[in-house]
């Protein structure tokens, strides 16, 4: 049975062109970029080229890109690094109730260090109101962190408007753009952000590598101490193959983003329409239009999301319930709770996240299979 992979928000397969670009950097051009000799200089040049590609994708300068081990480290470095470097100015952070755990837990850590954190809520579609962010700001606020798009429900936030508020008040502004970079336009000046987190494996690159954009002049401290790599912000020998992979993935995304987005949006809309029409007592979570091109998050009454995801898997369809990180927990996701989705519906939620390789016939298979699974599970749950 051919597998249908619809969990691209959790991770994407590496593009074969990305793997091809990485391979020479394991055993052939394997030098340490800090070495003086030519093998080292070769690696150094390759890393510099990758940095330019990542910078170009988000409209930054290459010296504003810090390579990290992924989205989680980028979020940690942004929040803890800026928080701790600016605590003399104030100890207040404004963020939202729908952030990824990497942001949420970094803020919680700073709370234990004496910071105050204000969580701005969202409306029923998962949208943050920029005015609420403005109201949450105090003279003590040093950092605002709002994700570009939500990984569970796909809602895209009004980042540029929040960026204006941050700039007016001279407050640093971070966005977790892990779900958007490479998929929809995410230019740092248009968004008005000072810090932006990227993970390679969410844009057809390898796992375990990412980047943090840090606007020039941003006060930030490192929590990785050692050699002075990455302008002193991220000591340790560079993950050269990984960085090359991220660079190539960024380059491919820049060239192919528009076509990919059109393709995926069309499949997404087919799937949303098909499932809502075929299954009674079903609703779409997240904003109808301010939405990632690849996200379909639906709640099905009277069924457990975990049972849905397991049944789908038995039929060769990979989807996810809530977010991958906490899928073993039976409590409804904090994101669906923040949207005000009633507990019973939130527990019956499934996320399909599409990718560039998905086809119409795969979507048709899901539209045929999923309603059948729901009927079967509902019949059992009503015994
Ligand atoms: C996947 C993801 C992360 C974490 O990225 P890793 O590279 O897995 O650490 C952070 N934020 C969002 C929105 C994500 O989707």
């Amino acid at each position: 049975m051919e597998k249908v992979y619809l969990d691209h928000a959790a991770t994407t397969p590496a593009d074969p062109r990305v793997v091809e670009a990485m391979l020479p950097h394991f055993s052939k051009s394997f030098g340490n970029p800090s070495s003086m000799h030519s093998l080292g200089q070769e690696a150094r040049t390759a890393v510099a080229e990758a940095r330019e590609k990542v910078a170009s994708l988000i409209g930054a300068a290459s010296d504003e890109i810090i390579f990290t081990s992924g989205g989680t480290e980028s979020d940690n470095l942004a929040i803890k690094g800026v928080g701790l470097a600016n605590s003399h100015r104030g100890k207040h952070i404004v963020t939202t109730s729908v952030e990824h755990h990497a942001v949420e837990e970094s803020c919680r850590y700073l709370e234990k260090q004496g910071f105050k954190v204000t969580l701005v809520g969202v409306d029923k579609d998962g949208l943050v109101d920029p005015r609420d962010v403005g109201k949450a700001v105090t003279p003590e606020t040093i950092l605002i962190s709002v994700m570009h798009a939500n990984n569970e429900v796909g809602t895209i936030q009004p980042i540029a408007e929040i960026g204006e508020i941050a700039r007016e008040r001279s407050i640093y502004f971070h966005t977790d753009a892990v779900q958007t970079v490479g998929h929809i336009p995410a230019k740092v000046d248009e968004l008005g952000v000072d810090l932006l987190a990227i993970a390679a494996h969410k844009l057809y690159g390898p796992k375990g590598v990412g980047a943090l954009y840090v606007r020039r002049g941003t006060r930030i401290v490192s929590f990785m101490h050692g050699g002075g790599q990455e302008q002193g912000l991220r000591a340790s020998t560079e993950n050269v193959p990984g960085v090359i992979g991220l660079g190539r993935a960024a380059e491919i995304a820049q060239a192919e983003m528009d076509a990919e987005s059109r393709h995926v949006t069309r499949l997404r809309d087919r799937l949303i329409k098909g499932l809502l029409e075929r299954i009674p007592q079903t609703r779409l979570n997240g904003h109808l239009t301010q939405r990632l091109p690849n996200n379909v998050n639906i709640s099905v009454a009277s069924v457990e999301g975990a049972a849905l995801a397991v049944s789908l898997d038995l039929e060769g369809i990979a989807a996810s319930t809530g977010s991958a990180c906490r899928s073993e927990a039976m409590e409804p996701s904090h994101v669906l709770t923040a949207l005000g989705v009633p507990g019973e519906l939130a527990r019956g939620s499934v996320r399909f996240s599409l990718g560039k390789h998905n086809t119409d016939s795969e979507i048709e298979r899901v539209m045929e299979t999923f309603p059948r699974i729901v009927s079967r599970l509902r019949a059992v749950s009503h015994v």
Side-chain angles (χ1 to χ4, degrees):
M1 183 169 48
E2 283 286 317
K3 293 263 184 206
V4 180
Y5 185 76
L6 295 173
D7 202 13
H8 294 81
T11 196
T12 58
D15 188 298
R17 291 168 289 180
V18 166
V19 177
E20 192 191 349
M22 291 172 69
L23 285 176
H25 295 278
F26 285 99
S27 332
K28 207 164 136 268
S29 182
F30 62 85
N32 184 326
S34 297
S35 297
M36 294 288 289
H37 50 66
S38 53
L39 218 51
Q41 294 309 303
E42 223 172 80
R44 194 185 180 87
T45 304
V47 166
E49 283 169 8
R51 200 183 304 279
E52 270 171 34
K53 290 170 185 168
V54 174
S56 166
L57 179 62
I58 61 168
S62 53
D63 65 354
E64 295 174 311
I65 302 298
I66 305 298
F67 288 121
T68 66
S69 66
T72 299
E73 187 186 332
S74 295
D75 284 334
N76 271 261
L77 176 57
I79 290 166
K80 299 194 281 194
V82 167
L84 296 175
N86 295 278
S87 58
H88 61 286
R89 285 174 51 204
K91 286 188 157 190
H92 182 233
I93 297 173
V94 174
T95 181
T96 82
S97 53
V98 294
E99 296 300 313
H100 188 273
H101 297 299
V103 168
E104 194 181 59
E105 294 297 330
S106 295
C107 288
R108 191 159 298 158
Y109 170 81
L110 287 183
E111 244 175 354
K112 291 195 192 116
Q113 311 294 312
F115 282 72
K116 276 184 64 183
V117 177
T118 301
L119 292 186
V120 174
V122 295
D123 70 9
K124 64 177 192 352
D125 297 324
L127 269 182
V128 174
D129 186 337
R131 288 170 300 187
D132 291 343
V133 174
K135 281 183 224 153
V137 164
T138 76
E140 297 286 300
T141 310
I142 52 167
L143 177 66
I144 298 172
S145 179
V146 179
M147 71 201 314
H148 192 188
N150 185 266
N151 48 299
E152 290 186 41
V153 297
T155 302
I156 300 170
Q157 301 297 353
I159 296 300
E161 288 172 56
I162 299 167
E164 269 173 43
I165 294 169
R167 196 163 336 170
E168 271 167 24
R169 321 256 180 120
S170 302
I171 299 166
Y172 288 121
F173 184 27
H174 165 253
T175 192
D176 175 336
V178 169
Q179 290 290 336
T180 56
V181 168
H183 302 290
I184 62 171
K187 299 283 187 193
V188 292
D189 285 347
E190 284 166 21
L191 296 174
V193 296
D194 303 299
L195 303 120
L196 178 147
I198 301 173
H201 74 107
K202 304 283 176 87
L203 63 136
Y204 304 99
K207 292 167 185 59
V209 59
L212 180 66
Y213 159 76
V214 182
R215 188 176 290 279
R216 278 182 199 145
T218 301
R219 249 177 195 279
I220 182 166
V221 293
S222 164
F223 48 91
M224 192 73 95
H225 305 285
Q229 291 93 345
E230 300 297 308
Q231 301 178 60
L233 275 178
R234 213 288 183 170
S236 181
T237 301
E238 295 83 347
N239 172 5
V240 177
V243 161
I244 305 303
L246 171 54
R248 185 72 181 111
E251 184 177 43
I252 293 168
Q254 194 157 14
E256 300 178 0
M257 184 192 305
D258 290 346
E260 177 196 327
S261 165
R262 276 194 302 275
H263 169 69
V264 167
T265 301
R266 192 177 59 75
L267 296 182
R268 175 197 72 183
D269 292 344
R270 263 197 92 182
L271 185 58
I272 291 175
K273 190 159 172 288
L275 294 182
L276 296 186
E277 273 174 9
R278 283 164 212 226
I279 312 170
Q281 290 183 284
T282 304
R283 61 179 255 178
L284 179 72
N285 297 311
H287 199 280
L288 200 55
T289 54
Q290 291 297 106
R291 184 180 199 92
L292 284 172
N294 75 337
N295 177 287
V296 179
N297 184 312
I298 64 166
S299 281
V300 182
S302 317
V303 190
E304 288 288 340
L308 289 168
V310 169
S311 305
L312 281 166
D313 189 44
L314 290 172
E315 305 258 6
I317 299 168
S320 144
T321 159
S323 85
C325 333
R326 295 279 169 97
S327 54
E328 73 284 357
M330 285 304 275
E331 79 259 27
S333 95
H334 73 288
V335 173
L336 293 174
T337 303
L339 267 64
V341 179
E344 198 261 335
L345 272 178
R347 276 190 294 276
S349 95
V350 177
R351 177 189 70 190
F352 299 98
S353 44
L354 284 56
K356 60 183 179 181
H357 303 300
N358 289 131
T359 62
D360 278 285
S361 67
E362 289 179 329
I363 295 307
E364 280 151 25
R365 194 165 126 200
V366 178
M367 291 195 298
E368 184 268 312
T369 311
F370 193 58
R372 194 158 40 75
I373 290 172
V374 172
S375 308
R376 198 182 65 224
L377 291 172
R378 275 181 175 163
V380 176
S381 81
H382 285 306
V383 165

